[in-house]
Amino acid sequence: MEMRETSARLLRLLSLLQARPDWTGPELADRLGVTTRTVRNDVERLRSLGYPVHASPGVGGGYRLGAGAALPPLLLDDDEAVAVAVGLRTAANGTVTGIEETSLRALAKLEQVLPSRLRHRVNALQTATVEIPVPGPTVDPEVLTAVAGACRDHRRLRFDYRDHDGSASVRTVEPHRLVHDRGRWYLIAWDADRRDWRTFRADRIQPRIPTGPRFTPREPPDGDVATALLRGVGAATWRYRARVTVHAAAAAIARRLPPAVLVEPVDEHTCIANVGSDTPQMLAVYLGMLDVDFEVNEPPELVEQLRALADRYGRAISRPGTAQPQAGNQRFCT
């Protein structure tokens, strides 16, 4: 009976050490309902079993579970076990090359030891959901690992990069975050040569090892990684761009435009919208849908398209029998 209680306490102690980085002796003793001397003895038992439990003396000292030569058993509560199972199943159908079979092997091991109540939850989720494959390129897991390590350690990263038009270049960046969005992986980084933030497709990155020196992390662009990604990805494929003076408050216009569009306030009733699109025709239509007055000076393709639309709309209302417009119609200023 005593051996069973000791084994259960050791498992509980191991679970606590895995739950957060540092514990003091009194904290562990309180959570386990034992004395600090018993905690010290239990730590020694874990060490004898191969778990690298580090201890630091002093008032601010405590215990920490270190990284060992072998992977120790991981103790999960019910919700954590279900989350890991769902994550492994998703990874088996994901966009990272070469981990599908590994994910299925790990999932099989986990489901084998899951209690029946948790196995039913995982199977219910699998049966009731349908995963739609996301078309697009996949990423080598070694690339993700190398980039993620550089982000974590704040080390400069050099890599060969292939742009969307196929041109190749060598980039030196300060990596900030990896972001997964709609089936694709992106790196948000400060480009050291271009002195600006850039968004890179991870499937087009080939890291050069070893990494460079450490750097001091910068504040993320726009204060938010997700917004920076949406702007970078959305604007990357624009063939036509324009700075448009819009006669409306910036906050009101920003709500009508996608995140990729940067809206800069001028005063309470005017703002500058940095817009773009694949064609000048599409860009002209989108600007008209703002339903406010605006002014465009460039590019010339957009100016000509707006003139053509103005003529077309004018002809549409100048034919006999067409109702005449009322005062206050929208105007296009070019």
Side-chain angles (χ1 to χ4, degrees):
M1 185 68 176
E2 181 180 352
M3 181 176 297
R4 183 182 305 173
E5 291 179 355
T6 301
S7 299
R9 192 174 64 248
L10 288 178
L11 288 173
R12 175 62 176 158
L13 174 59
L14 182 59
S15 177
L16 290 173
L17 291 172
Q18 290 175 340
R20 78 182 202 203
D22 297 289
W23 291 86
T24 66
E27 286 177 330
L28 290 172
D30 181 65
R31 295 293 290 270
L32 296 171
V34 296
T35 64
T36 55
R37 180 179 180 181
T38 301
V39 169
R40 290 195 297 271
N41 292 335
D42 287 347
V43 166
E44 288 301 323
R45 292 188 178 98
L46 288 178
R47 288 170 176 164
S48 67
L49 294 173
Y51 295 99
V53 182
H54 304 306
S56 54
V59 177
Y63 297 97
R64 171 191 290 264
L65 184 63
L71 183 66
L74 188 63
L75 302 179
L76 304 173
D77 61 28
D78 287 5
D79 291 338
E80 290 171 341
V82 172
V84 171
V86 172
L88 287 171
R89 192 174 299 281
T90 302
N93 299 297
T95 56
V96 181
T97 306
I99 69 168
E100 299 90 346
E101 182 182 352
T102 306
S103 300
L104 289 174
R105 289 203 312 267
L107 179 62
K109 292 180 181 179
L110 179 61
E111 290 184 337
Q112 184 177 2
V113 298
L114 281 177
S116 59
R117 66 182 187 280
L118 299 185
R119 195 178 302 115
H120 290 323
R121 288 173 59 183
V122 174
N123 290 338
L125 184 61
Q126 176 188 1
T127 304
T129 58
V130 176
E131 183 155 347
I132 300 176
V134 179
T138 55
V139 185
D140 189 328
E142 293 187 1
V143 170
L144 289 180
T145 301
V147 174
C151 292
R152 178 198 61 201
D153 299 336
H154 306 310
R155 288 190 175 278
R156 280 199 173 192
L157 185 66
R158 295 185 73 237
F159 55 83
D160 297 292
Y161 190 70
R162 176 176 47 84
D163 290 320
H164 64 277
D165 59 1
S167 60
S169 60
V170 178
R171 301 297 186 94
T172 301
V173 303
E174 296 175 0
H176 183 69
R177 287 291 187 276
L178 275 170
V179 184
H180 186 260
D181 178 54
R182 286 167 287 186
R184 289 182 175 176
W185 287 92
Y186 299 91
L187 169 65
I188 305 292
W190 173 265
D191 193 312
D193 296 323
R194 291 158 179 80
R195 308 300 300 169
D196 197 4
W197 289 96
R198 290 290 189 270
T199 301
F200 301 95
R201 283 257 301 270
D203 58 287
R204 296 173 178 167
I205 291 176
Q206 186 57 51
R208 294 192 174 193
I209 306 300
T211 55
R214 290 184 178 273
F215 63 88
T216 301
R218 302 170 187 268
E219 285 296 318
D222 304 310
D224 176 58
V225 173
T227 300
L229 173 69
L230 291 172
R231 283 183 178 165
V233 173
T237 57
W238 288 347
R239 295 182 59 194
Y240 295 91
R241 301 167 186 264
R243 280 177 60 86
V244 180
T245 301
V246 183
H247 295 282
I253 295 302
R255 288 194 294 267
R256 305 181 195 180
L257 294 171
V261 176
L262 176 62
V263 179
E264 307 171 46
V266 176
D267 54 39
E268 293 183 0
H269 307 291
T270 312
C271 63
I272 301 292
N274 298 273
V275 296
S277 186
D278 293 338
T279 66
Q281 291 86 353
M282 292 175 59
L283 190 50
V285 171
Y286 291 153
L287 289 172
M289 292 173 62
L290 291 177
D291 198 28
V292 295
D293 291 345
F294 58 88
E295 299 169 15
V296 177
N297 296 316
E298 60 179 22
E301 296 91 343
L302 177 58
V303 173
E304 290 303 316
Q305 184 60 35
L306 287 172
R307 287 199 178 105
L309 280 179
D311 292 342
R312 185 173 299 127
Y313 292 156
R315 291 193 299 272
I317 62 176
S318 62
R319 294 167 184 161
T322 304
Q324 292 301 310
Q326 302 297 316
N329 286 329
Q330 175 181 325
R331 73 177 188 273
F332 293 96
C333 305
T334 61

